Amino acid sequence: MTDYDLTYLNNIPIVSVVDFRSETEIENAPDRLPASVNGDYEFSVSPGNLGDLSIENITSLSEQQADSIMMMINELLVSMPEAIEMTKNSSVFCRMK
């Protein structure tokens, strides 16, 4: 997240963040959160893990390739039994002030 992004998000009073990345992804790129956040929830979901894709590989994808990957991940998030069960059992809610 850039400094500009953080400044922008500070102007939107976000109070909760749900991080769908894997533990490895979180360790490799820790969040920079706006000061208004009082709840930061790790909610790792396997389809969100892009594995060994480096930032260089991701940024070199064509728009069509990136769209295809995101569509696949979004479909998995609503169809995989593990993701559905995790969502059903979660008490995490995103909200804004």
Side-chain angles (χ1 to χ4, degrees), residues 46-60:
S46 296
N49 183 356
L50 295 176
D52 294 329
L53 281 177
S54 67
I55 192 68
E56 292 82 17
N57 291 341
I58 292 171
T59 57
S60 68

Side-chain angles (χ1 to χ4, degrees), residues 35-71:
S36 60
V37 171
N38 59 27
D40 181 15
Y41 305 96
E42 290 182 17
F43 194 66
S44 297
V45 178
S46 296
N49 183 356
L50 295 176
D52 294 329
L53 281 177
S54 67
I55 192 68
E56 292 82 17
N57 291 341
I58 292 171
T59 57
S60 68
L61 293 174
S62 71
E63 186 175 339
Q64 185 176 11
Q65 289 171 316
D67 286 347
S68 294
I69 290 170
M70 290 306 298
M71 291 289 286

